[in-house]
Amino acid sequence: MEPVASLKQILFYRSKFCLSVEYLELFPRRVYALTGSNGAGKSTLLRIMALLINPQRGSICFPGSTTKDLDQLRKKVTYVEQSPYLFQGTVSDNLAYGLRLRGIAREERARRIHLTLSIVGLDGFEQRKAKELSSGETQKVALARALVLKPDLLLLDEPTANIDGNSQPAFEGLLARLPKYGVTVVFSTHDRLQVQRVGAEFLCIENGTLQGQLTAACLQI
């Protein structure tokens, strides 16, 4: 099976921090959990995968792509920050923004928005004001705003960090279901038990070095 993305001999350094990834392949329709302590390099690696940071050495390849144009490659990847910012206006306005930039017609925008809100459990939220949303709803809208663009690779930085405990199980269930909609997911987390609950494959960064890949069933916690 051809990977969605592959990283080879990545080296990124800044001041006293160094991130090293010898080799990593991400395969279609899977969920990967990136774990490590604060400052280990999780967010930096996600940003490199999202083509927002250029490493000093190494390569990031999207084997299914026929272009080397950076703007076109970035359309294959969507990155959601730990504390996402929503635009003023409605939920629909937020989801429509990226679709308009890509030239998606109005009827298709409406269809995609309706379907994507259904996927994340926010049916009927199209006209809800963004400023009226709870923290959990805000995170789901940010996820939907990324998902509506149909990326091959969805990158989430600590997606449950700002969600209350009552909402967390539902959001974890959503993460586990996302691959069936055709996307590969990489999310960072401090909670190794969360890796098991989501059923994700395990990626660990220690002191800036990616250690390897394991399934959740292999974890000893």
Side-chain angles (χ1 to χ4, degrees):
M1 181 185 297
E2 191 172 58
V4 171
S6 62
L7 288 73
K8 297 179 181 179
Q9 298 182 331
I10 296 292
L11 183 66
F12 174 82
Y13 49 86
R14 178 179 294 165
S15 185
K16 296 181 179 180
F17 172 75
C18 180
L19 175 69
S20 174
V21 178
E22 188 64 25
Y23 188 72
L24 175 63
E25 287 187 329
L26 302 171
F27 288 94
R29 298 176 183 245
R30 297 190 186 180
V31 181
Y32 299 88
L34 183 61
T35 70
S37 60
N38 284 333
K42 299 188 300 298
S43 296
T44 300
L45 179 54
L46 290 175
R47 287 176 174 271
I48 288 174
M49 291 179 184
L51 304 177
L52 299 175
I53 296 178
N54 293 323
Q56 281 82 5
R57 191 188 75 190
S59 63
I60 306 171
C61 299
F62 298 87
S65 177
T66 58
T67 181
K68 293 185 178 180
D69 181 79
L70 190 59
D71 288 336
Q72 291 301 315
L73 289 174
R74 282 178 176 148
K75 291 181 179 179
K76 292 181 169 292
V77 188
T78 308
Y79 171 69
V80 180
E81 296 183 349
Q82 178 177 332
S83 299
Y85 172 79
L86 296 185
F87 308 131
Q88 291 185 357
T90 66
V91 168
S92 184
D93 292 336
N94 274 269
L95 270 66
Y97 179 76
L99 296 174
R100 285 199 301 269
L101 290 180
R102 297 186 182 198
I104 304 299
R106 178 176 296 183
E107 288 187 2
E108 175 63 9
R109 290 201 305 264
R111 187 192 70 81
R112 283 205 204 179
I113 290 169
H114 177 76
L115 176 61
T116 307
L117 288 177
S118 177
I119 289 171
V120 302
L122 295 179
D123 292 281
F125 270 62
E126 283 88 344
Q127 299 308 313
R128 187 76 62 88
K129 297 293 186 182
K131 65 182 180 181
E132 298 172 354
L133 300 174
S134 68
S135 59
E137 290 166 348
T138 295
Q139 195 70 40
K140 284 185 176 182
V141 170
L143 174 59
R145 187 172 61 186
L147 200 59
V148 78
L149 299 176
K150 296 185 176 181
D152 293 335
L153 183 59
L154 177 61
L155 308 172
L156 308 172
D157 195 356
E158 296 279 354
T160 61
N162 298 317
I163 295 178
D164 64 82
N166 293 329
S167 302
Q168 185 166 314
F171 198 91
E172 289 174 347
L174 173 59
L175 290 179
R177 294 192 303 273
L178 286 178
K180 78 176 186 179
Y181 299 108
V183 65
T184 294
V185 180
V186 182
F187 71 96
S188 62
T189 180
H190 287 94
D191 185 355
R192 292 195 174 195
L193 287 173
Q194 186 175 67
V195 182
Q196 290 187 318
R197 292 193 298 268
V198 173
E201 297 187 40
F202 178 72
L203 305 173
C204 179
I205 293 183
E206 293 182 4
N207 299 317
T209 301
L210 185 67
Q211 299 298 308
Q213 288 177 254
L214 296 169
T215 62
C218 296
L219 288 175
Q220 298 296 320
I221 300 178

